[in-house]
Structure formats: structure tokens, C-alpha cells
Amino acid sequence: MVGGHESFGAWSLKKAPALTWSEGDNWVSEDVELPVDGVFVYKYVVTDAQDAGKPVAWQKGNNQVLVLSASDAPLLIVQDDWIGDPAKSYTSAEDGSDKMLSEQRLVQRIGDADAALHQSRLDVMDLKVEVKTAQLQSAALREEARLSSNVRLKLKQQLSAEKKRSEVLEQQVFEWKNKFKTLGPGKEKKDKKDEKDSGATKKNAAAAAAKAPPTPPTPPKAPPAPKPASSEEKSR
């Protein structure tokens, strides 16, 4: 029995597992370890008794196909026919239960593969939708970042302008303070001097008024003199 997997000799007759004859004209091999969930191709061949690498006769028909799944562990019994009749090639559990044609197992595996492929296509479509949505979200975020950058730039410009205005106001306040410091003491001295001069003037006026003699009372005015008579009155 030789096949594509290493356990079948990788199509090398010298490495392939040998079969031994048993009662009922059945040829049986030792247990062959194969990975679960796989598809394996093999074929029976009669080799030369002196040279195992020399084929004498090959099994008729197509290659045998064995489909394994995780549920087949730990042991699966495989029975084939030398003439290659698919109706006589089947698998079963160790106790003879769960008997199934090898061809049926292959058809079931193909159906499962088609269903998995269909589901994969649906998943791919969903992924495409998610990718498209992610692209739209990314574009929206980039636009938002651009607008935010423009807003930050405008705010920065406004803050810079406000800072300049504040500096100008501080400079004006500083200049006014210096101006008030320059004008303040002189004005205060002038006010005090004016106040002092005004007080001295008032004192001098009071002293002069005290030293001057009292003013005599004003005499009454004399009555007006009579007017002389006119010439007309004199002739009368």
C-alpha cells in the first residue's frame, strides 16, 4: 500500500507499509498514523518478493481516497477491494459501527468544503464592508483633524494678537506711570506754594485792615440849588 503521505511511503514502494495475509484471503496492514482532518490518496500494489521496489501488479481503477476528520480518532478501520470497486470500499469504527462508503465520505467532505467556502465568501463581503466603513471613518477623522488644526491655528493667531495688544497696553500704562511720577511732585509743590501765598496775602490784608484808622461816616448830600428864573418869568 503506497500513497502520497509519508506514512504511505510518499509514493516510494520501498518505504510503503507492507500488508500481511490473514484468514479469509484478507491482506491487513499495521496501524498507519495519519493526521486528522485531511484527505489522503493511496493505492495497492503487488511487488516482487525479492525486490520491494519493483511493482508486479497495481490495483485496478482509480486511486483510493481516504477522508479523515477529528471525530475519527483514535482509530478508523478502512476496507478496500482489490478490483477498485467503490461500492466495496468503506470505513467503520473499531467495533464495526458507523459504517460508511469511502466515496460518501468524500462527497460529504466536498459539501462541507463548499459550505465553508460560501461562508468564507460571506465573511469576505462583511470584511469589505468593514474596510469601507473604516476608510470612511478614517477620512472623517482626517477631515476633523484638518479642521481642528485650522481652528488651533486661528486660536494661536488670536492669542498672539491679544498678547501683542496686552504688551502695548502694558507699555502705555508704564509710560503713564512714568509721566505721573514726573508731573506729580512739581504740581504738589506748586499747589502748596499757591496755598501758602494765598494765606500770606490774606494775613497781610487782615493786618493792613487792623492798622488803618476807621473810615469817617459819609456826610449827607446837600439839596440841589434852585434853578434861576427864566427871562419870560422875569417879564411877568
Side-chain angles (χ1 to χ4, degrees):
M1 180 175 60
V2 65
H5 193 267
E6 292 180 355
S7 297
F8 288 136
W11 295 112
S12 174
L13 294 177
K14 292 184 177 181
K15 297 179 181 179
L19 303 179
T20 57
W21 183 88
S22 64
E23 294 183 3
D25 199 18
N26 293 322
W27 292 81
V28 182
S29 70
E30 297 292 335
D31 292 346
V32 178
E33 293 185 1
L34 295 171
V36 297
D37 197 20
V39 179
F40 308 95
V41 179
Y42 62 97
K43 201 173 186 68
Y44 297 97
V45 60
V46 177
T47 61
D48 187 84
Q50 303 298 325
D51 185 2
K54 183 179 180 180
V56 176
W58 287 90
Q59 180 190 22
K60 296 180 181 180
N62 297 326
N63 293 338
Q64 301 292 325
V65 178
L66 176 61
V67 178
L68 295 179
S69 62
S71 60
D72 295 328
L75 183 65
L76 182 71
I77 304 299
V78 180
Q79 182 173 338
D80 298 313
D81 183 75
W82 171 252
I83 62 176
D85 185 1
K88 295 182 179 180
S89 179
Y90 59 88
T91 63
S92 64
E94 187 176 4
D95 58 0
S97 61
D98 298 331
K99 192 173 182 179
M100 179 183 293
L101 291 174
S102 298
E103 190 177 53
Q104 185 179 354
R105 293 174 66 92
L106 179 60
V107 172
Q108 182 178 347
R109 179 59 178 263
I110 293 174
D112 294 341
D114 288 341
L117 179 60
H118 179 68
Q119 184 61 42
S120 298
R121 288 175 177 172
L122 294 178
D123 293 341
V124 169
M125 293 177 63
D126 292 340
L127 288 174
K128 287 182 178 180
V129 173
E130 291 179 3
V131 169
K132 185 64 176 179
T133 303
Q135 290 175 345
L136 294 175
Q137 291 177 349
S138 178
L141 289 174
R142 285 197 298 268
E143 181 65 16
E144 184 177 353
R146 186 184 67 81
L147 294 176
S148 299
S149 178
N150 293 337
V151 171
R152 287 196 299 269
L153 180 60
K154 290 182 179 179
L155 288 175
K156 186 176 181 180
Q157 292 174 349
Q158 291 178 358
L159 289 175
S160 178
E162 291 294 334
K163 184 177 180 181
K164 289 181 179 179
R165 283 195 291 269
S166 178
E167 291 176 353
V168 171
L169 290 175
E170 289 180 358
Q171 182 64 27
Q172 291 178 352
V173 170
F174 178 75
E175 292 176 355
W176 278 106
K177 284 183 178 180
N178 290 337
K179 186 175 181 180
F180 288 151
K181 287 180 180 179
T182 303
L183 298 177
K187 183 178 180 182
E188 184 178 356
K189 290 180 180 179
K190 183 178 180 181
D191 293 341
K192 288 183 178 180
K193 183 179 180 181
D194 293 343
E195 184 179 353
K196 184 177 180 181
D197 293 343
S198 177
T201 303
K202 290 180 179 180
K203 287 181 180 180
N204 293 334
K211 292 180 180 180
T215 304
T218 304
K221 293 182 179 181
K227 294 181 179 181
S230 63
S231 59
E232 184 179 356
E233 290 179 353
K234 288 180 178 182
S235 61
R236 287 179 183 177

